[in-house]
Amino acid sequence: MNKLMSLLLITLVSLGINLGLASAEGYTKQKVVYHVNFDDEKQLKAALGNIQNHINAVGKDNLDLRVVMHGPGIALLQIANKNADFADKISNLKRQGIHFNVCNNTLQSKKINFKNDLYDVSQEDIVPSGVAEIAQLQTQGFSYVKP
Amino acid sequence: MNQEKKFSDEFINAFVDDQLTLEEKQQVYAQLSSDETLKWRICELRKTRDLVALAYKEPPMPTRGLAPSLGKRKYSLGVAAGLALMVGTVSGWFLHQTPAPTTLSSARLAAGDETAKVLIHVSDGHVDHLKNALDEVESLMQYYRDSKQTARVEVVTNGQGLSLLLANVTPFAERVQSMQKKYPGLSFVACQNTIERFQQETGVAVKLLPGVIVIDSGVAQIMRRQHQGWAYIQV
């Protein structure tokens, strides 16, 4: 009878531990696209903060996060080109595996030279259409976030 | 105003759930044409019903799907503790309680076919914002056309965004119409809830641009479309 009781006790304890573990671990792998199409500096700064918080919560190894900029949202990298605080934040996010993608339609229509006018953009960061890219990523299982 | 009390909440609920007899339904329809409050009540209930239905159709979130993984983990740790049988039974019971995520695959299937499906949500009514939204939609349609990809794009307006499609308000009437003609896969959609609220607030009957589709609720439409595998973009 004692044996049975202790067995029951161990089971209950192990169940308790498991419940604890599961909630502490929390997140599994996430694929997320952040949509940036606004040029308000405060809002952009807040968006960079959101992304860092997202990484902190989920863990950089659990996260495939793409920032897609188009239209007025291109301002993020224009500001970063002149503002060291923005530049640092973006470089820091890139070191944690975040991708920053730029819409080619926007570059064309606004006549932006990505090498001179934008902060740290290379050819492979450019997508043909920002909106189409966001749509495509969602069909690949990315969640949509508008910060 | 006396008419307002004619139908109880239960009765209206039954109407929304399609549980009335034909005769009872006809009573509701007869009054609907003249009773704004009744229309509003039904619309709100429909919206709630749709949202509830969608919420329960949603598969468990894969990212934080605690329930299924909890069961598995209990099982494996149970083995390590030499209590496989008991814990296995417990986890089995828990797994049994968790519905299988069957709807996920169907949503992905819809997304996997050739046609790109995108819902563009417009809820801000500033002129600059609306112009920007139309620019985005146009360049998206052009992109799909140039890359020879078939596409269905729905521009769903609610709240202040409705002004894009109001015949006597929008500065973009001609542009919207020319875009409708140019891109057969593109449709402009207005939210019935917003239309009714607008009419109640202003006392003016809403006149929409030609070819605009009216749906019950913008929010419900957004959820339905995402559930059907459409991409969602807020501009």
Side-chain angles (χ1 to χ4, degrees), chain B residues 204-221:
Chain B
V204 180
V206 159
K207 196 164 169 260
L208 297 170
L209 295 178
V212 170
I213 298 162
V214 178
I215 42 98
D216 52 353
S217 149
V219 178
Q221 180 77 352

Side-chain angles (χ1 to χ4, degrees), chain B residues 20 65 71 74 92-93 97 101 127-128 133 138 156 168 170 176 178 183 193 196-197 204 213 231:
Chain B
L20 293 183
K74 263 180 221 155
W93 184 79
Q97 300 291 308
V127 174
D128 292 350
E138 189 139 36
V156 175
N168 303 319
T170 180
V176 168
S178 77
Y183 305 106
N193 286 333
E196 279 167 17
R197 205 171 59 231
V204 180
I213 298 162

Side-chain angles (χ1 to χ4, degrees), chain A residues 15 28 70 138 144 146, chain B residues 63 73-74 83 136 232 234:
Chain A
L15 277 175
T28 52
H70 68 98
Q138 287 182 67
Y144 174 82
K146 181 98 184 246
Chain B
T63 47
R73 224 176 272 125
K74 263 180 221 155
L83 294 161
E136 292 300 349
Y232 169 75
Q234 195 185 27

